[in-house]
Amino acid sequence: MKKIAIIDYGMGNVQSVANALELLGYTATITDNHDLLKASDAYILPGVGAFAEAMNNLRARHLIPFLHTQVIEAGKPILGICLGMQLFLKSSEEMGLHEGLGWIEGKVIAMTPDSTLRVPHVGWNDIVAKEGASLFAGVDQDAHFYFDHSYHVVCEERYISTKCQYGSYELTAALQYKNVFATQFHPEKSQTKGLKLLRNFLNFVEEHPC
Amino acid sequence: MLKKRLIASLVIKNGIVVQSIGFERYLPIGKPEITVDYLNQWGIDEIIMVDIDATREGRCIDPELIKRVAKRCFVPLSVGGGITSVDQIHTLIHSGADKVSLNTQAFTNPSLIEEGARFFGSQCMVVSIDAKRSPDGSYRAYTHGGKTDTALSAAALAEQAQAYGAGEILINSIDRDGHKNGYDIDLIRSLLRTTNLPLIALGGAKDPLSMKALLESCDVSAIAAGNYFHFVEHSATIAKAYLSRYFPEQIRLDSYSDYRDFSFDEMGRIVKKEDNSLRDMLFEFHPKEVI
């Protein structure tokens, strides 16, 4: 069984993610320690918080170059959740303009509320997964997942594995690029469908060569 | 399409879940972790847990309690009760909470909303408002467990909370709490006019019929109830099955046993199936969902 680390950078709902993994039979390490992270086979980057604060916290822990080496160069699988997904992009417009990890070309922009559209986009929404979206194997096409966000990801179509409709917004619900996976929704908080998705990620990790 | 959430509001007093009536009388229900486990299995959309002793006792809701309940909670969990600092929010989120709910502090120290939103994002900050109808017909917001009059209208407090960066508003009616006389539609409408944040309505639900009446008259984002969920087996699933009959596009009903093929009586309770349909079910194969 491979070792999973939940990256603890002071931002995420790390315990919720660890609880979900525990139900699936994995004891994840919650840490920001480079040695412990280096010894792990795959990462989960959760996130509840503000973009700038999250990048500051990653920077303070010297995790930006570290994660680049582990994920982009060494090819270890990573799953970003919610803010964790947004951090993978080049930049975000949340409370100013901030640079992200830049692994995926694109940006994070605000959703604008109007008379019919309330922001944040919070609650359970159904998704449409593209063919070959491996995180969604065995998950019904119209399954519901729990979203809670005010900003959304705009990027090239080739990175997007799943979309979701909110008012006039066609939101990026999930990303997949080589060994980099991400969801805007919270699989750890989406009951059985979410747990299935996490199981798919863990299966990918188990079969992944490195 | 985004669904209307069905939220269970769990009131904690002396460490256990209680039934609350008019913010004055309380009856014991049971252990929080067991309540959460059941609601999670019954397909509830979200759980809000508030420790109503905390503010009065000058402490914050116990993070150890949150750790215990979060183990079995695979739906979003909002927690509240006596939260006064960003550090406490941090501890609660680290213990397994997904959002925090502010009530007294949202009025006495609204900058906590702003600070919290800066660190954790607006989506993490729920402001919960307890309102009471005044003799002149207006709705006033109360703090300190419904004891202290803020002299501010509930709608004005909601507007202020939005300006400080709240991500959601929960409106509870003190008059309706535990009285089973339906949601206070006028109160809810007054908030829908002043804020464009997602609004959660609480207070007065008797049965799924009250929830249907709410959805028919107001565009709320979520329906919350407390007592209803405790006294009916599979309450969350049954309420959703009933509501999805009237609002098929707006309710998430994807649990394995979903009560879709049941009928309901005039009080929204399920009716026993016909003998022949029960006989047909005898040999049905129900595989266990493997994750």
Side-chain angles (χ1 to χ4, degrees), chain A residues 8 10-16 19-20 22-24 30 48-50 53 94-95 113-114 116-126 142-150 165-166 186-193 195-196 199, chain B residues 1-3 5 39-46 67 70-77 90 93-99 117-124 166-168 192 195-199 219 221 251-254 289-291:
Chain A
D8 183 6
M11 296 302 285
N13 53 344
V14 288
Q15 195 56 46
S16 296
N19 290 340
E22 195 181 316
L23 192 88
L24 299 172
I30 303 176
V48 171
E53 193 63 26
E94 182 175 350
M95 303 187 210
D114 61 39
T116 57
L117 194 79
R118 288 176 186 263
V119 173
H121 170 223
V122 49
W124 297 74
N125 208 334
D126 43 7
D142 56 351
H144 294 95
F145 290 93
Y146 176 74
F147 290 80
D148 195 358
H149 60 118
S150 314
Q165 195 73 34
Y166 182 49
H186 289 272
E188 78 284 10
K189 288 285 156 180
S190 298
Q191 284 191 327
T192 46
K193 313 292 181 213
L195 294 169
K196 267 190 184 169
R199 173 67 77 201
Chain B
M1 181 180 172
L2 188 69
K3 302 298 181 283
R5 280 169 288 159
L39 288 166
N40 180 62
Q41 286 178 42
W42 297 345
I44 196 81
D45 291 325
E46 185 165 333
K67 272 188 197 161
K71 283 249 178 260
R72 304 298 299 172
C73 185
F74 300 109
V75 294
L77 176 66
H90 189 261
I93 289 176
H94 248 232
S95 305
D98 300 289
K99 307 185 234 186
R118 193 166 63 239
F119 284 101
F120 308 102
S122 283
Q123 87 294 328
C124 189
E168 274 179 275
L192 283 168
T195 166
N196 50 20
L197 293 177
L199 186 70
D219 185 26
S221 301
I251 301 293
R252 178 182 75 102
L253 182 61
D254 54 10
E289 194 169 16
V290 179
I291 299 167

Side-chain angles (χ1 to χ4, degrees), chain B residues 154-254:
Chain B
L157 186 54
E159 196 176 3
Q160 183 189 314
Q162 175 168 353
Y164 276 98
E168 274 179 275
I169 305 285
L170 180 144
I171 180 68
N172 191 6
S173 159
I174 298 172
D175 308 309
R176 305 285 176 116
D177 178 54
H179 287 299
K180 303 182 184 175
N181 45 358
Y183 291 92
D184 193 331
I185 303 294
D186 290 339
L187 166 65
I188 294 159
R189 281 196 179 136
S190 74
L191 271 82
L192 283 168
R193 280 192 294 269
T194 58
T195 166
N196 50 20
L197 293 177
L199 186 70
I200 305 165
L202 174 64
K206 175 171 180 272
D207 48 33
L209 276 73
S210 326
M211 300 172 186
K212 173 173 171 259
L214 171 66
L215 287 187
E216 278 168 348
S217 46
C218 303
D219 185 26
V220 292
S221 301
I223 313 157
N227 306 332
Y228 165 75
F229 290 115
H230 302 313
F231 300 110
V232 181
E233 188 80 2
H234 293 181
S235 49
T237 327
I238 291 170
K240 287 176 155 201
Y242 179 83
L243 292 172
S244 70
R245 214 153 276 198
Y246 300 93
F247 311 95
E249 299 293 308
Q250 297 184 48
I251 301 293
R252 178 182 75 102
L253 182 61
D254 54 10

